[in-house]
Amino acid sequence: MKPTRSSRSVKGAASSRSAASAPAKSGGALRLLSRFAVFAPVALELVSHLRGQQKARRGKYYKASSKGKAFDFILDQAQRRYGKGKRKKGWF
């Protein structure tokens, strides 16, 4: 016996009905950004502290690799964006 039209499922028809009746998720991206805004300064402080320890362990005259220089540049820029970077006074 052939199924009738009402009992046959059409691809995508069931999901569109349930999506219309379900409430829309609002603020998903906003929630993610707010979590990032909370945890980013904490992670930045930890990473900068660990990097400072690593540089102190290596000594004053150690020549940094290009990867280390790039990481230091990115870390410095992130600290400046959050307002915790080194600030020079005067012209020099």
Side-chain angles (χ1 to χ4, degrees):
M1 186 189 244
K2 267 185 165 177
T4 61
R5 264 189 194 265
S6 60
S7 66
R8 217 177 346 163
S9 65
V10 178
K11 202 174 199 178
S15 63
S16 65
R17 279 188 219 136
S18 63
S21 63
K25 290 183 181 178
S26 61
L30 185 62
R31 188 175 304 134
L32 180 67
L33 284 174
S34 65
R35 283 183 184 169
F36 180 75
V38 169
F39 291 119
V42 176
L44 185 62
E45 286 295 320
L46 287 173
V47 170
S48 63
H49 179 71
L50 292 174
R51 181 65 179 160
Q53 283 182 336
Q54 185 182 37
K55 286 169 80 173
R57 233 181 304 131
R58 287 187 173 163
K60 185 176 180 179
Y61 299 108
Y62 176 77
K63 185 177 179 184
S65 64
S66 60
K67 190 191 306 183
K69 288 178 187 177
F71 185 74
D72 287 337
F73 174 75
I74 291 171
L75 189 60
D76 185 46
Q77 290 298 313
Q79 285 177 333
R80 287 175 189 233
R81 297 289 190 271
Y82 278 99
K84 296 185 180 182
K86 295 179 275 184
R87 302 209 180 228
K88 294 182 180 178
K89 291 185 178 180
W91 289 18
F92 302 99

